[in-house]
Amino acid sequence: MYLADHTWPEIGAALSDESVALVPLGSTEQHGPHLPLATDHLIAEALATAAAEETDAVRTPTVTVGVSPHHRQFPGTMWVDPPEFRDYVESFTRNLAYHGIDRVVFVNAHGGNVQHLREVGRRLHEDETAYAIEWMWDESIPELVDDLFEHNGPHAGPKETAMITHIAPELVREDRLEDARDDGLVHLDESDAVVHGARTYYDSIDNSANGAFGDPTDVTEEKAERLFEAASDQLVQLVEWLDARDRAELLPKGRVE
């Protein structure tokens, strides 16, 4: 159920004191020459929508701008600073708790948001406001991602190209797939991203001139569908796991005496 499509009496009747909310979060940032700036938040919203349709979870509106300063050199990229992002997400999650939702899944599709969402979850857990956890779609199916694509990439590579191919194929610039591969970084081990154990870069442009990593030409409709279905199934199972927990199980443990 998408919260914003309903009236307040309908939502009031649907929510209980132990409801689960799915909060899709992504970014508006460069994704190479072949994918739209909306890539991350489109993926998050599509997965949250699919899971909400299969469960009793409520889906909230999507957070479309995230922590993306490392892509700032590319025109159109938008970002918010980490403290403001954390405070915003924490604030609206407390709003959800006020309305009876005590379990929240941050359905995340942007790596730059990860640590900040986990910090927000920790804050909310400590004061027993809600049990909020970050879920990153590709981390739920790492073996499948590796099996499907020979040259993966952390950003604008085959896995994200596949997801947009499934969700919104009209937004994939198929005539730029080879450009993304040839002018980007296909083999991560060929860069100086890590030297003697130290991470040497701050921005994606330091490693990829066009912002793409991996080989996005290695995508088919069949692979795209398989990837999306596998990730959405993992999210459904997570919601069902959360829904089955007693509230006491989710509260912070007491001090050891």
Side-chain angles (χ1 to χ4, degrees), residues 145-147 149-154 157-159 185-186 188 213-215:
V145 174
D146 286 340
D147 287 345
F149 307 114
E150 183 177 356
H151 299 296
N152 283 316
K159 62 185 179 185
L185 179 64
V186 175
L188 302 185
F213 297 79
D215 182 3

Side-chain angles (χ1 to χ4, degrees), residues 98-177:
Y98 176 82
H99 293 298
I101 294 170
D102 71 339
R103 300 134 208 257
V104 176
V105 180
F106 296 131
V107 181
N108 183 36
H110 173 51
N113 295 339
V114 171
Q115 63 180 311
H116 309 295
L117 293 173
R118 290 176 179 171
E119 170 60 20
V120 169
R122 186 191 65 78
R123 294 180 190 176
L124 296 166
H125 185 246
E126 279 191 352
D127 63 17
E128 302 184 10
T129 297
Y131 185 79
I133 52 176
E134 183 269 344
W135 180 82
M136 184 77 175
W137 73 270
D138 57 323
E139 292 182 0
S140 74
I141 50 170
E143 295 87 1
L144 178 60
V145 174
D146 286 340
D147 287 345
L148 288 179
F149 307 114
E150 183 177 356
H151 299 296
N152 283 316
H155 182 78
K159 62 185 179 185
E160 291 186 320
T161 302
M163 292 295 268
I164 298 301
T165 296
H166 181 76
I167 296 164
E170 71 280 3
L171 296 182
V172 179
R173 278 63 169 177
E174 294 185 2
D175 60 331
R176 301 300 303 275
L177 291 174

Side-chain angles (χ1 to χ4, degrees), residues 157-212:
K159 62 185 179 185
E160 291 186 320
T161 302
M163 292 295 268
I164 298 301
T165 296
H166 181 76
I167 296 164
E170 71 280 3
L171 296 182
V172 179
R173 278 63 169 177
E174 294 185 2
D175 60 331
R176 301 300 303 275
L177 291 174
E178 291 185 3
D179 293 339
R181 178 196 63 198
D182 297 342
D183 298 329
L185 179 64
V186 175
H187 304 281
L188 302 185
D189 55 359
E190 292 180 356
S191 76
D192 290 329
V194 178
V195 177
H196 301 302
R199 175 172 152 166
T200 60
Y201 64 96
Y202 286 94
D203 301 321
S204 63
I205 200 170
D206 294 335
N207 291 313
S208 173
N210 67 7

Side-chain angles (χ1 to χ4, degrees), residues 1-6 11 15 20-25 41-53 55-63 96 101 105 107 235:
M1 180 175 67
Y2 178 47
L3 182 148
D5 279 347
H6 294 270
I11 292 297
L15 297 181
V20 180
L22 299 173
V23 180
L25 305 100
H41 69 254
L42 288 176
I43 293 172
E45 184 170 287
L47 288 169
T49 298
E53 290 174 350
T55 65
D56 293 328
V58 175
R59 176 175 75 82
T60 73
T62 303
V63 178
L96 295 174
I101 294 170
V105 180
V107 181
L235 183 54

